[in-house]
Amino acid sequence: MTGRFAAVAAGMVMAVSGVCQAQDAATAKLDVELNALAPSQKGCMMTFVAENNLQTPINKISFELAFFNDKNAVDRITVLDFRDLPQGKKRVRQFDMPNVKCDTVTRIIINDTPVCDGPAAGECMKGLVTRSQISVPFEG
């Protein structure tokens, strides 16, 4: 009887562990927020807040962004280096975009993560969640 109880208990522990791991994988995400756009001497200062809630630290990451203008046309595509994003930590990153007028930026889209060193291949885009704190839509 004791052997049967131990086997049932071990099975239950493994089942609960599997559910917890599945929940962790489902909640693993990479949050990137467009926080502010502000005119600068060069053009437009863009502020982002990123939080890595994936299951591993990111040693280096970059995002390929497409900027849409007031005519709803792609104005430019550029790659921004967000450097490292430690697991469970928020990081603020600012980029001064030369020759961009903030008031003409109507939408920003993350096309890709050309560099994502740390997580398994494809995990950075798969876990990407975007939001905007301003009126300019930010999509991933």
Side-chain angles (χ1 to χ4, degrees), residues 31-106:
D31 289 304
V32 183
E33 170 189 284
L34 175 60
N35 186 267
L37 298 180
S40 69
Q41 288 183 344
K42 290 182 181 180
C44 184
M45 178 67 71
M46 301 185 172
T47 303
F48 298 89
V49 178
E51 184 174 6
N52 174 13
N53 289 309
L54 298 176
Q55 295 181 348
T56 57
I58 299 173
N59 302 317
K60 184 172 178 63
I61 188 166
S62 62
F63 295 103
E64 180 186 77
L65 302 179
F67 296 90
F68 290 76
N69 62 25
D70 53 357
K71 295 176 178 63
N72 205 27
V74 174
D75 184 63
R76 69 179 63 209
I77 296 176
T78 191
V79 176
L80 301 179
D81 181 5
F82 274 60
R83 302 186 315 261
D84 66 316
L85 295 176
Q87 187 179 19
K89 302 280 185 180
K90 285 186 181 179
R91 293 291 186 253
V92 175
R93 301 291 190 237
Q94 288 188 313
F95 303 93
D96 203 351
M97 301 297 295
N99 304 316
V100 173
K101 293 182 179 179
C102 293
D103 58 353
T104 65
V105 176
T106 59

Side-chain angles (χ1 to χ4, degrees), residues 3-13:
R4 229 184 231 169
F5 177 75
V8 169
M12 289 175 65
V13 166

